[in-house]
Amino acid sequence: LLMKKILLSPFSNSLPNGKPNPKSYPIDYCNELVEMLNKIYPVHHVKLSSEPSIENTVQIVDNSLRNLVELIKSKETALWISVDNFFHHLSNYAKRPGFVVFSRSNPFIFGHDKNINLIRSFKAMRPDPFGYWWNCEYLKEAFLTPSEIMQNINENRGKIWD
């Protein structure tokens, strides 16, 4: 019997100026989303040791890219969700579609067409798509809420996840 899981990678690298990365999902939203996702399958938080931990998740910390690819491809992985960070590019390499939550970056430039690329509003995208992230303001309102993400996940059940 397979024990299904959901992979979650909600943060992007810390910025050198100490400000929050505009691509990182708000921690309060993370906790709320995990509460909803855990009703489907247990959530495994893919993270670096320098990133905050999310309550009620299994922590996958500082794992090798090879191990992450195996995890992404695993039949035990029901679905994955990430922000615009390395994880959705690695998943594209592994040929496993999932959900990518964009905020200030452009999904038409940085997204992959096999994924469900989610964005609240194109108005919140930064005007200089290739600029430094430390020059970009963090806007919580640029992110979809956990309920909106769950709606997209539920609408795509059986299409890219089971």
Side-chain angles (χ1 to χ4, degrees):
L1 185 66
L2 285 177
M3 187 62 179
K4 294 279 190 169
K5 66 179 97 177
I6 296 170
L7 303 179
L8 177 65
S9 180
F11 304 120
S12 282
N13 277 343
S14 300
L15 299 178
N17 63 3
K19 290 183 180 176
N21 191 311
K23 300 188 292 179
S24 290
Y25 202 58
I27 191 74
D28 59 325
Y29 278 5
C30 286
N31 291 324
E32 190 179 334
L33 181 61
V34 164
E35 189 177 325
M36 295 174 186
L37 291 169
N38 272 329
K39 293 176 182 171
I40 303 171
Y41 295 122
V43 176
H44 291 234
H45 178 196
V46 177
K47 67 184 288 292
L48 298 174
S49 55
S50 59
E51 295 173 344
S53 295
I54 301 171
E55 296 174 6
N56 301 312
T57 63
V58 174
Q59 305 290 302
I60 301 173
V61 183
D62 294 336
N63 219 312
S64 72
L65 295 179
R66 177 172 287 135
N67 288 346
L68 289 176
V69 167
E70 288 175 16
L71 195 58
I72 291 163
K73 288 181 169 184
S74 170
K75 289 184 183 344
E76 292 179 356
T77 298
L79 70 115
W80 61 262
I81 305 158
S82 80
V83 293
D84 180 18
N85 61 17
F86 83 98
F87 195 82
H88 77 100
H89 300 296
L90 188 65
S91 297
N92 187 64
Y93 167 80
K95 297 181 177 24
R96 179 80 185 265
F99 296 86
V100 186
V101 181
F102 286 87
S103 58
R104 307 289 318 270
S105 53
N106 188 327
F108 293 111
I109 297 172
F110 302 106
H112 298 282
D113 59 0
K114 302 247 184 304
N115 293 330
I116 305 296
N117 296 309
L118 305 172
I119 189 162
R120 170 172 286 290
S121 169
F122 289 100
K123 293 177 186 171
M125 282 191 310
R126 61 183 299 165
D128 57 337
F130 302 106
Y132 294 115
W133 282 105
W134 53 82
N135 292 331
C136 185
E137 183 184 359
Y138 186 95
L139 297 175
K140 181 178 179 178
E141 59 273 14
F143 290 94
L144 290 172
T145 65
S147 295
E148 290 168 325
I149 292 173
M150 287 304 299
Q151 180 180 346
N152 279 280
I153 288 170
N154 290 329
E155 287 171 359
N156 286 284
R157 190 166 199 157
K159 294 176 188 168
I160 69 164
W161 77 278
D162 51 61

